[in-house]
Amino acid sequence: MSKKDKKKGHDLDEGPGNLKSLNKKELLQRAKKFSEQYCIGDNKEFRLKGRSTLDSLDEKKTDVKKTLKMGVKALAAMQDILYAQDKWSVLLIFQAMDAAGKDGAIKHVMSGINPQGCQVSSFKGPSSEELDHDYLWRCQKHLPERGRIGIFNRSYYEEVLVVRVHEQILKGQKIPEKLVTKDIWENRFEDIRNFEKYLNRNGTIVIKFFLNLSKEEQKKRFIERVDNPDKNWKFSAADAKERGYWDDYMFAYEELIKNTSTKKSPWYVIPADDKYHARIAIASAVIHALDGMDLEYPKVSEEKIAELNAVKQALLDEDN
């Protein structure tokens, strides 16, 4: 966002109640304040237990939808500048239990983004080719280019998550036996911190979201997927089976968050039982991160301006 735009403070949209006449500066302040409550930063004492899975906004549902619409509009405007400037890139990582709403969050929060400036990559079980490389390799191939927002729907964090819960998977990764020690998870946490530090130093901002869904809400959503024919494709017996490892997953999430959340590459633990609330929190965090880049449209030289004016004059003269 340009400093000039920050000073002007143009109205973004007509919203409800206290959102009416909200200008850019106020929206940025609101996004920062709202998202910071979910940011873990470099808190090494983080505990997942007791973290809320359901937060509610002090607004009606219709107002919440308008708030999200405003956030999407602001995000789209900032992404346009990011793309034009072509220096920074942003990597958004989404991790969660099944049915937590990752796909919906990506769809709605990024709905206003120019497709040319955004790329989404989903990661499932690794292929034989991917197993012949280090575990970061397949994700490195999908890192966003400068000027773009990259989205990872699951990521290299699966290597300290599902692989930790199901250690038999580790045995199939072709790693020399003497390297598979009791310290392997701490080693991988260190690798990931270093990798993200490397990305930061090269202009890629990494923001990570854990959609914190309650076990009760997951059960409800699973049943809805079974009952709704249009959602049957989203559900499989494997999803229900993984639910049996809930406590193991919660432990693994807590460990990876407290060991890999840093000030520059933070984790946001987002209450996910309310989908609209989760989407607003995610949009707020991304807006806050983009604002920290001091984005500006590229400056045009006087020579270029003179050239453009000459082209304009030539076009006007065609009518004479």
Side-chain angles (χ1 to χ4, degrees), residues 12-28:
L12 285 173
D13 200 358
E14 286 299 312
N18 64 334
L19 295 179
K20 200 168 186 178
S21 300
L22 195 66
N23 60 41
K24 288 186 178 181
K25 182 177 180 180
E26 291 168 338
L27 178 61
L28 292 171

Side-chain angles (χ1 to χ4, degrees), residues 123-177:
F123 299 95
K124 299 185 183 298
S127 66
S128 57
E129 179 188 18
E130 290 167 344
L131 288 172
D132 277 334
H133 292 81
D134 63 275
Y135 70 86
L136 289 173
W137 180 76
R138 67 173 181 160
C139 292
Q140 287 177 310
K141 296 191 300 177
H142 297 277
L143 289 173
E145 302 171 33
R146 298 191 189 280
R148 289 171 169 78
I149 296 176
I151 300 172
F152 283 1
N153 187 344
R154 302 194 188 280
S155 66
Y156 44 82
Y157 279 102
E158 294 293 292
E159 297 298 329
V160 289
L161 187 62
V162 65
V163 177
R164 187 169 188 173
V165 172
H166 300 288
E167 291 197 26
Q168 68 272 21
I169 297 177
L170 187 64
K171 297 177 181 178
Q173 292 191 334
K174 303 182 182 181
I175 302 172
E177 291 183 9

